[in-house]
Amino acid sequence: MPAVSKGDGMRGLAVFISDIRNCKSKEAEIKRINKELANIRSKFKGDKALDGYSKKKYVCKLLFIFLLGHDIDFGHMEAVNLLSSNRYTEKQIGYLFISVLVNSNSELIRLINNAIKNDLASRNPTFMGLALHCIANVGSREMAEAFAGEIPKILVAGDTMDSVKQSAALCLLRLYRTSPDLVPMGDWTSRVVHLLNDQHLGVVTAATSLITTLAQKNPEEFKTSVSLAVSRLSRIVTSASTDLQDYTYYFVPAPWLSVKLLRLLQCYPPPEDPAVRGRLTECLETILNKAQEPPKSKKVQHSNAKNAVLFEAISLIIHHDSEPNLLVRACNQLGQFLQHRETNLRYLALESMCTLASSEFSHEAVKTHIETVINALKTERDVSVRQRAVDLLYAMCDRSNAQQIVAEMLNYLETADYSIREEIVLKVAILAEKYAVDYTWYVDTILNLIRIAGDYVSEEVWYRVIQIVINRDDVQGYAAKTVFEALQAPACHENLVKVGGYILGEFGNLIAGDPRSSPLIQFNLLHSKFHLCSVPTRALLLSTYIKFVNLFPEIKTTIQDVLRSDSQLKNADVELQQRAVEYLRLSTIASTDILATVLEEMPPFPERESSILAKLKKKKGPGTVTDLEEIKKERSSDMNGSAEPALNATVTTPSPSEDDLLGLGPAPVTNSPPPPSSSGSLLVDVFSDPTSAVAPLAPGSDDNFASPDLASSEVVSEEPADTVHDADELFHKFVCKNNGVLFENQLLQIGLKSEFRQNLGRMFIFYGNKTSTQFLNFTPTVICSDDLQSSLNLQTKPVDPTVDGGAQVQQVVNIECVSDFMEAPILNIQFRYGGTFQNLSVKLPITLNKFFQPTEMSSQDFFQRWKQLSNPKQEVQNIFKAKHPMDAEITKAKIIGFGSALLEEVDPNPANFVGAGIIHTKTTQIGCLLRLEPNLQAQMYRLTLRTSKEAVSQRLCELLSEQF
């Protein structure tokens, strides 16, 4: 900075500040300020021209008055005039005033921009620095429009001084963050990457911050930065603290730059070049080794800097998830921090280990610290650390330790902070369901959960218990006995009454043979809780009573007396009154057969994923360990070699709401969130929006295609210009399933949820913006060839052309299969991101087998039909090598997922698989028989398909062959 001359002391400003500080009251301060404002105004309006010093002094006073909280409505022009001064201090005060007081809508902005341009063109490093600081401080869109094209040139110019390069990099970063669409990508992008090799570490630090932000949005443009970042990191990590003396902080060489370089590397997958990858591994090993060395200083600044680099290195190891040795070492290092006296280190260690637990390489290493984590749960004083301990226990849980972890969580729940009780309840419910080897343990756990923290047990949790009990015959009697015993406690939580009322209403007959739980005792026990419950629970209990009329005719009179009482028939609540009247009438006039039909046992619920997981995700927000765990499963276990199945990948439709316990009407709309997508992705939670529930399709109904909001069709008949991404891989992934992530890159994630019935289907496409920047002109288009258009009728609903950063939009596609088809439609997506046009295409997984309806057949019928389809043109056979492990259960699941019925005990060879189904189209129905013969020794399959149409046989054979 230039030396300050003797006359720059501004004594008048010092006197004014002193006067303000000496004021005894607010009124005195305002009086002094008003006097000064009047004096400054008169000076500015006077005939005598002010010199630069006077302007600077008065502008400084105005700035001080503004900082005291008073409005300033003049002096802006004088500040702009100071920008043209050649004196540093005057120009500095002018820029300071403009940065603080001038807004982007000011009429002076053009004059200010001209002054800034002059300073940027002056090649005076001091003036250029002031101008760049002003641009960054204002950071408005107008500034970006004016200078976003100039600053990159300054940044990469060969004659620019290091201090100016630093300022230019940070200024460009500020403009990119506020207006990314105005910062043009060009030739400078390849040159700015080479700033990572600059000799001045200040330039490297600023450039790394800029490149990291740019690479997050435009990874391909900056992928050459990986090798340079590894090279620079290697030099820093292997250097002694004396080598980088100016950038060494408490014996740690360039810690901030190291952290920034490690974050930059997290924008990319592991380097493909073996040399670069080996050098990066050496760097990470060196960082882990240094963490084991004795500290070179006892100062907290030393340990903070050292640990900052260490935790960022561990984050990179976790991000790459490819080096088992490094992952285990990172886990062991974090394990040492779990008992550190510094609270922040314990918190960070627990948080990082949560992510490590989701890696197949380090999961076992994380589990070795279970006792330490449990101890932290019991003894830790900081609630945030206890919460992270709960997260880690949840993440490290598997079948081997589930009962121990659930028991510890239940114990902690009794004394847990109120702020995290609901979250713990959800996690216990999820783990108990997911890892239960015995359903009786699951029922006991959930009932214990209700007893300990009933107020925090949401509807989703007790819905799940009922759904699982209804779907499992072997646990129904035990559940009825257990809830009966639990209800005998003097004080029961209302959620327990709901569970007990529902289960006894369905399965109370299973325990009625015991005199201690006779029908009358069951009824009296439930009715003793009636007056203590809320209206919805009373409504459920009334439904249970009418169920008892069917189950136990011997207590019908007792129940009718209760329903006939004035407290029910004349109840102030219309819902209770209506139920009492209708149930009493039903029990009076209906015959035994009608009662048995109307009040029959609830049928099993469809198998779907748990809605509790969706509620936990919603509560925790994106990026949680739950999301990471689900993503790992999605990547590792599609239909090909699936992971260990959960207890029941169960049920969320319709919840056993007290409003429709008997199933007499359509399922009521509840407030519980729908279940999560099986993909477990961060953005595409395809069940999270109530509007995404797939409405039932009426077979043969034209209403599915005549809805006014779906009438806007975007189906066109031209081919997309660009390549279809991973067409075969993505296509075959969805042949045997309907939900999941279809496509994902750095910017966009596309998820699907679909349902098909006969020749109709409906597909929900979810587009997730993974960036923090808006997608503009977002236009997804479904493209069909001419041949496909005649066979497949698609209608799409338009989507909002703007997708906010981190947001998700949904598009509905209605599908009608007119006749059999061979191709698949193309989904073309075009949008503008960060000033660049994006265009991609993927195949939509609408395949002929989606219109399969399974057909059950006896062995005799199957082979009789098999012989009828003996024409050579009706049969297609394929012998092929197994691409995946030959597991019988997985094979069965794939055949069922393909759409056909799996026929047991039909083929004389029990190792073979046979299936049957009908392809439904609008014009015809095509019967299909299939036979799959595995040869375990040769690791080969023979697949035979027979249909009444050769092209259909060929297509189905192609699709199914790719699954094994």
Side-chain angles (χ1 to χ4, degrees):
M1 182 185 294
V4 177
S5 64
K6 187 176 180 182
D8 287 335
M10 291 190 290
R11 184 172 177 277
L13 174 64
V15 170
F16 174 61
I17 294 174
S18 178
D19 290 346
I20 294 296
R21 289 177 176 173
N22 292 330
C23 288
K24 302 297 185 184
S25 64
K26 185 69 175 175
E27 291 75 14
E29 178 184 310
I30 293 173
K31 183 177 179 181
R32 179 68 182 89
I33 287 173
N34 287 337
K35 179 182 176 182
E36 191 64 38
L37 287 173
N39 177 53
I40 297 172
R41 199 185 300 269
S42 66
K43 293 291 184 182
F44 285 166
K45 288 185 177 180
D47 296 333
K48 185 179 178 182
L50 293 174
D51 59 9
Y53 170 78
S54 299
K55 283 183 184 177
K56 177 185 71 172
K57 178 178 67 174
Y58 293 135
V59 167
C60 253
K61 286 183 178 181
L62 290 176
L63 185 57
F64 180 71
I65 292 169
F66 176 79
L67 296 176
L68 288 176
H70 300 272
D71 292 332
I72 300 297
D73 57 3
F74 69 100
H76 299 76
M77 193 63 198
E78 283 69 19
V80 173
N81 291 337
L82 286 175
L83 299 184
S84 59
S85 171
N86 287 324
R87 294 174 65 87
Y88 170 78
T89 53
E90 294 173 9
K91 191 183 289 286
Q92 180 194 35
I93 295 301
Y95 275 123
L96 181 60
F97 184 94
I98 287 164
S99 299
V100 175
L101 272 91
V102 175
N103 60 49
S104 58
N105 298 323
S106 172
E107 297 174 355
L108 301 174
I109 202 72
R110 185 172 296 177
L111 293 174
I112 295 169
N113 286 351
N114 285 336
I116 292 175
K117 283 181 181 177
N118 291 336
D119 283 337
L120 291 179
S122 69
R123 312 311 293 174
N124 181 322
T126 305
F127 292 173
M128 292 176 75
L130 286 174
L132 290 167
H133 292 170
C134 180
I135 296 170
N137 284 333
V138 175
S140 65
R141 191 168 182 83
E142 289 73 16
M143 286 287 186
E145 288 174 347
F147 301 109
E150 296 294 323
I151 297 172
K153 298 176 184 176
I154 297 172
L155 178 60
V156 298
D159 58 346
T160 304
M161 290 187 64
D162 292 336
S163 60
V164 178
K165 283 184 181 179
Q166 279 181 268
S167 298
L170 296 176
C171 180
L172 189 59
L173 174 60
R174 161 73 167 160
L175 295 182
Y176 187 81
R177 284 174 174 169
T178 55
S179 306
D181 55 312
L182 297 180
V183 178
M185 298 290 117
D187 295 339
W188 64 273
T189 56
S190 58
R191 298 175 63 186
V192 78
V193 169
H194 291 284
L195 291 178
L196 294 175
N197 275 335
D198 199 279
Q199 293 182 347
H200 193 282
L201 285 190
V203 174
V204 180
T205 304
T208 306
S209 297
L210 174 64
I211 294 169
T212 300
T213 301
L214 294 173
Q216 288 170 350
K217 309 292 186 353
N218 307 280
E220 287 299 314
E221 294 262 5
F222 298 93
K223 62 183 179 182
T224 55
S225 64
V226 172
S227 58
L228 296 177
V230 171
S231 175
R232 174 62 79 172
L233 181 65
S234 176
R235 278 179 275 165
I236 295 172
V237 168
T238 56
S239 66
S241 57
T242 53
D243 297 341
L244 303 172
Q245 199 162 4
D246 291 343
Y247 286 87
T248 296
Y249 181 78
Y250 287 87
F251 303 101
V252 181
W256 286 279
L257 178 55
S258 300
V259 166
K260 288 177 185 291
L261 289 170
L262 289 164
R263 284 184 182 166
L264 170 58
L265 292 171
Q266 289 176 53
C267 297
Y268 294 93
E272 296 178 0
D273 186 339
V276 177
R277 189 166 185 166
R279 195 170 185 184
L280 177 57
T281 302
E282 289 177 10
C283 290
L284 296 172
E285 287 177 343
T286 304
I287 293 172
L288 292 173
N289 291 337
K290 285 186 176 182
Q292 301 290 337
E293 296 175 0
K296 296 181 180 178
S297 171
K298 294 182 179 180
K299 297 281 183 107
V300 68
Q301 292 92 336
H302 171 72
S303 61
N304 283 348
K306 187 176 175 182
N307 290 332
V309 177
L310 173 63
F311 275 103
E312 208 60 52
I314 290 174
S315 294
L316 179 60
I317 293 170
I318 294 171
H319 171 76
H320 284 172
D321 195 19
S322 59
E323 295 288 342
N325 180 47
L326 286 177
L327 285 161
V328 173
R329 285 196 61 188
C331 180
N332 295 335
Q333 180 62 53
L334 292 171
Q336 296 176 18
F337 288 144
L338 292 179
Q339 295 177 304
H340 199 279
R341 59 186 177 83
E342 176 61 44
T343 304
N344 289 336
L345 278 181
R346 296 197 300 274
Y347 179 93
L348 291 170
L350 288 166
E351 190 174 49
S352 297
M353 288 185 81
C354 283
T355 317
L356 274 174
S358 62
S359 170
E360 59 180 314
F361 300 120
S362 54
H363 182 79
E364 291 300 320
V366 172
K367 282 168 56 180
T368 61
H369 300 284
I370 185 171
E371 296 300 332
T372 307
V373 180
I374 290 172
N375 185 57
L377 195 63
K378 296 175 179 176
T379 61
E380 183 61 55
R381 289 177 295 175
D382 191 303
V383 62
S384 62
V385 180
R386 292 199 298 273
Q387 188 166 0
R388 292 287 81 79
V390 170
D391 290 342
L392 180 52
L393 285 174
Y394 177 79
M396 68 168 63
C397 188
D398 57 23
R399 291 196 184 279
S400 66
N401 57 19
Q403 295 199 13
Q404 178 189 5
I405 287 177
V406 168
E408 291 295 343
M409 283 188 170
L410 284 173
N411 290 337
Y412 173 62
L413 188 56
E414 299 196 40
T415 57
D417 301 83
Y418 294 112
S419 59
I420 62 173
R421 283 194 179 188
E422 184 181 4
E423 183 183 324
I424 296 174
V425 165
L426 292 173
K427 287 181 173 175
V428 168
I430 291 168
L431 295 179
E433 176 188 341
K434 188 175 182 181
Y435 297 115
V437 292
D438 181 359
Y439 283 91
T440 59
W441 173 75
Y442 170 75
V443 172
D444 289 339
T445 299
I446 301 301
L447 293 180
N448 201 17
L449 196 62
I450 295 174
R451 179 187 64 79
I452 295 171
D455 289 338
Y456 299 91
V457 175
S458 62
E459 288 185 334
E460 287 81 5
V461 175
W462 72 264
Y463 286 175
R464 294 293 293 152
V465 188
I466 290 169
Q467 291 165 353
I468 288 174
V469 169
I470 286 175
N471 284 27
R472 298 287 305 187
D473 295 340
D474 56 339
V475 80
Q476 290 165 358
Y478 179 82
K481 175 176 176 291
T482 306
V483 296
F484 176 78
E485 292 172 351
L487 286 170
Q488 292 178 351
C492 293
H493 193 274
E494 192 167 334
N495 281 335
L496 182 58
V497 177
K498 291 177 182 177
V499 175
Y502 199 101
I503 290 179
L504 290 179
E506 295 292 327
F507 311 114
N509 60 309
L510 300 179
I511 60 171
D514 190 332
R516 294 169 296 179
S517 55
S518 66
L520 186 59
I521 292 175
Q522 289 186 43
F523 171 74
N524 289 334
L525 179 61
L526 285 175
H527 197 53
S528 67
K529 314 291 183 185
F530 187 89
H531 67 286
L532 301 172
C533 298
S534 63
V535 169
T537 306
R538 292 185 189 187
L540 186 147
L541 288 177
L542 288 178
S543 299
T544 300
Y545 297 167
I546 192 65
K547 285 269 188 174
F548 276 177
V549 170
N550 178 49
L551 290 177
F552 312 124
E554 62 268 32
I555 62 170
K556 176 177 179 180
T557 306
T558 306
I559 293 172
Q560 285 178 332
D561 290 342
V562 171
L563 295 174
R564 196 179 288 116
S565 64
D566 286 349
S567 61
Q568 304 303 335
L569 293 181
K570 297 181 181 180
N571 197 294
D573 186 88
V574 66
E575 175 67 23
L576 294 180
Q577 185 187 77
Q578 183 176 352
R579 287 194 184 219
V581 171
E582 291 180 356
Y583 291 164
L584 178 60
R585 190 67 177 154
L586 180 65
S587 67
T588 305
I589 65 172
S591 66
T592 305
D593 291 341
I594 292 175
L595 273 178
T597 303
V598 173
L599 303 174
E600 66 180 349
E601 193 176 294
M602 284 288 287
F605 290 90
E607 299 292 327
R608 290 190 187 171
E609 277 198 339
S610 168
S611 61
I612 308 176
L613 194 59
K615 186 173 180 68
L616 179 62
K617 283 184 182 180
K618 188 175 181 181
K619 183 173 179 61
K620 293 290 284 180
T624 63
V625 66
T626 307
D627 297 317
L628 293 168
E629 183 183 346
E630 292 299 313
I631 287 172
K632 297 285 184 189
K633 288 180 183 173
E634 170 66 23
R635 287 177 181 167
S636 65
S637 73
D638 277 328
M639 290 294 294
N640 301 326
S642 62
E644 189 175 25
L647 171 122
N648 249 338
T650 47
V651 209
T652 49
T653 58
S655 297
S657 170
E658 58 270 25
D659 295 329
D660 192 34
L661 183 75
L662 304 176
L664 296 173
V669 178
T670 68
N671 292 326
S672 58
S677 160
S678 60
S679 71
S681 64
L682 292 179
L683 287 167
V684 187
D685 189 3
V686 296
F687 292 85
S688 65
D689 188 339
T691 60
S692 71
V694 177
L697 297 175
S701 170
D702 293 333
D703 292 343
N704 292 305
F705 301 95
S707 176
D709 63 337
L710 302 181
S712 172
S713 174
E714 294 181 20
V715 181
V716 296
S717 58
E718 57 189 77
E719 293 296 330
D722 56 345
T723 306
V724 178
H725 288 273
D726 301 327
D728 292 335
E729 178 187 348
L730 295 172
F731 194 76
H732 298 310
K733 175 181 172 183
F734 280 85
V735 167
C736 292
K737 69 173 190 174
N738 290 332
N739 305 334
V741 176
L742 174 64
F743 172 81
E744 184 171 10
N745 63 11
Q746 297 281 348
L747 307 179
L748 178 68
Q749 189 181 56
I750 306 173
L752 294 183
K753 174 177 177 288
S754 49
E755 181 182 73
F756 296 87
R757 187 170 300 159
Q758 295 192 10
N759 71 310
L760 301 178
R762 180 171 291 155
M763 179 176 286
F764 289 82
I765 309 175
F766 298 84
Y767 306 99
N769 182 348
K770 295 176 63 177
T771 73
S772 58
T773 304
Q774 277 189 337
F775 291 166
L776 302 176
N777 303 328
F778 188 82
T779 311
T781 308
V782 179
I783 301 173
C784 294
S785 65
D786 292 338
D787 292 340
L788 189 58
Q789 273 197 321
S790 61
S791 303
L792 205 59
N793 182 8
L794 302 180
Q795 291 185 341
T796 61
K797 182 177 180 180
V799 300
D800 193 325
T802 301
V803 185
D804 292 333
Q808 172 184 295
V809 295
Q810 167 191 300
Q811 184 176 37
V812 182
V813 181
N814 275 342
I815 308 160
E816 182 183 32
C817 180
V818 180
S819 60
D820 58 277
F821 59 96
M822 303 299 112
E823 307 172 50
I826 302 296
L827 176 63
N828 177 251
I829 300 146
Q830 300 178 353
F831 60 94
R832 190 164 292 281
Y833 164 78
T836 58
F837 179 73
Q838 306 287 333
N839 186 9
L840 62 95
S841 295
V842 293
K843 277 188 179 182
L844 265 187
I846 302 175
T847 50
L848 189 58
N849 67 294
K850 298 296 182 185
F851 303 97
F852 243 133
Q853 290 295 308
T855 304
E856 295 293 337
M857 302 177 75
S858 66
S859 177
Q860 181 180 352
D861 292 339
F862 178 86
F863 285 106
Q864 181 179 352
R865 179 63 178 155
W866 185 266
K867 291 175 182 177
Q868 290 173 355
L869 296 172
S870 57
N871 189 314
K873 291 187 177 181
Q874 294 175 328
E875 178 182 287
V876 173
Q877 189 172 91
N878 186 21
I879 300 174
F880 55 94
K881 191 80 173 173
K883 304 182 186 71
H884 308 289
M886 298 178 72
D887 184 283
E889 292 303 316
I890 292 176
T891 303
K892 289 180 182 179
K894 289 180 179 179
I895 292 174
I896 294 171
F898 190 68
S900 69
L902 183 65
L903 306 181
E904 304 280 1
E905 299 178 1
V906 169
D907 197 295
N909 184 349
N912 294 344
F913 304 91
V914 294
I918 298 173
I919 299 286
H920 284 259
T921 71
K922 188 176 181 179
T923 55
T924 185
Q925 295 183 0
I926 305 166
C928 172
L929 302 178
L930 68 88
R931 188 182 191 187
L932 181 69
E933 301 166 84
N935 185 333
L936 291 174
Q937 289 183 332
Q939 290 290 296
M940 301 280 286
Y941 285 103
R942 178 166 65 185
L943 174 64
T944 309
L945 269 131
R946 291 187 179 183
T947 74
S948 54
K949 200 168 184 180
E950 181 182 10
V952 173
S953 300
Q954 185 67 44
R955 181 57 175 158
L956 293 178
C957 186
E958 290 172 3
L959 291 171
L960 192 55
S961 297
E962 290 295 330
Q963 302 303 309
F964 300 105

